[in-house]
Amino acid sequence: MSNTFDDLDDGRPETPAQRADRNWNEILQELRVLQTGTQILTGFLLALAFQSSFADLSPTQRTFYLVLICLAALSAVVALAPVALHRAVFHLQVKPALVRTGHNCLRGALALVSLLLVGVVVFVFDVVVSLAAAITAGVVLGLIILVLWIVVPVSVRRRARGSTR
């Protein structure tokens, strides 16, 4: 039985343990990429509060900024959760469960990062241009993320399933 997080039907000559190890390594690589970008974005957000112009923000903008900080922290926590779980279950022979959990955490982290990215763009456009421009930029970026992160992968997955039948 094939799962979304496992490559059982890909024809590779590997044992279940080898497959779990390979899938875990792939998840770790994806987490590294995600974590690097998230850390840079979080650093940018944290630095903003110490700029002199931060005092010029409206109460609504400050509140939105704090929401973005919380999203950044939450996305980092969710992205690091598989690593913490790995430390907790190291040597317990539960790699398939670890892969499933890592897969789910990675998907959750991507969802949080997509919200964070849209939020940061909205925040910057609001501060620099206007609220109308911010909403437009946020909607456009949200649509681009939706297409590239959901529509395209679903399309590729459907075509791949169709070609294997």
Side-chain angles (χ1 to χ4, degrees):
M1 169 195 268
S2 180
N3 297 308
T4 58
F5 56 87
D6 204 349
D7 297 325
L8 294 176
D9 297 328
D10 70 357
R12 294 176 192 216
E14 56 190 5
T15 67
Q18 290 170 324
R19 183 178 310 106
D21 287 343
R22 177 178 53 81
N23 286 338
W24 176 244
N25 286 330
E26 289 177 8
I27 286 170
L28 285 179
Q29 185 58 33
E30 292 168 5
L31 286 169
R32 284 183 192 104
V33 171
L34 180 68
Q35 193 63 28
T36 301
T38 304
Q39 286 173 342
I40 291 167
L41 191 51
T42 301
F44 162 74
L45 283 170
L46 292 173
L48 287 179
F50 300 100
Q51 302 301 312
S52 60
S53 59
F54 191 79
D56 298 335
L57 296 179
S58 72
T60 302
Q61 290 171 327
R62 285 177 189 240
T63 300
F64 191 64
Y65 168 79
L66 292 173
V67 168
L68 293 174
I69 291 293
C70 291
L71 268 175
L74 184 58
S75 66
V77 168
V78 172
L80 289 171
V83 177
L85 178 61
H86 183 260
R87 285 295 89 215
V89 300
F90 190 64
H91 286 300
L92 294 181
Q93 309 300 317
V94 294
K95 188 74 66 84
L98 185 63
V99 168
R100 276 191 302 278
T101 303
H103 167 76
N104 291 330
C105 287
L106 187 52
R107 290 177 61 151
L110 283 169
L112 290 167
V113 167
S114 68
L115 292 173
L116 178 61
L117 289 170
V118 170
V120 167
V121 166
V122 167
F123 178 75
V124 170
F125 269 75
D126 183 32
V127 171
V128 175
V129 184
S130 70
L131 181 57
I135 291 169
T136 301
V139 168
V140 168
L141 181 59
L143 289 172
I144 291 169
I145 290 171
L146 181 71
V147 168
L148 292 178
W149 291 10
I150 296 174
V151 174
V152 170
V154 166
S155 175
V156 168
R157 178 174 278 190
R158 282 188 182 146
R159 276 186 265 139
R161 284 184 178 155
S163 68
T164 60
R165 289 182 182 161

